[in-house]
Amino acid sequence: VTAGPGYLLAATRGTPHGFRNEGPTTARALCLYTPAGYENYFRDVHAAVSAGAEATDQLLAEFRSRYRTSSYPLPADRL
């Protein structure tokens, strides 16, 4: 799905999904998580990267394990 300004997207629990900004300008999004707490995954990743850590698969897997989530392997043509 390609979304633009004013779009509303939903990824229900258990649905493989991901987000990326392919455009040249900064994207802004409002993300809501239920139950509360999963937003701390993103805070942890941001804090680690801001402190100089590289966002490796291993680091992200460690953070994902804290919040009971997992990555979904991309098909080779999407890497």
Side-chain angles (χ1 to χ4, degrees), residues 41 44-64:
Y41 164 79
D44 288 351
V45 171
H46 176 75
V49 171
S50 293
E54 184 178 346
T56 62
D57 289 340
Q58 182 178 358
L59 178 72
L60 297 177
E62 176 188 330
F63 289 140
R64 283 193 299 268

Side-chain angles (χ1 to χ4, degrees), residues 7-9 28-33:
Y7 273 69
L8 173 65
L9 303 173
R28 293 186 342 167
L30 172 63
C31 299
L32 306 174
Y33 302 100

Side-chain angles (χ1 to χ4, degrees), residues 15-37:
T15 303
H17 65 279
F19 302 96
R20 72 174 173 255
N21 178 16
E22 292 186 348
T25 59
T26 302
R28 293 186 342 167
L30 172 63
C31 299
L32 306 174
Y33 302 100
T34 60

Side-chain angles (χ1 to χ4, degrees), residues 10-18 33-35 38 67-72:
T12 57
R13 185 175 295 141
T15 303
H17 65 279
Y33 302 100
T34 60
Y38 184 66
Y67 298 100
R68 295 177 24 193
T69 190
S70 60
S71 65
Y72 189 81

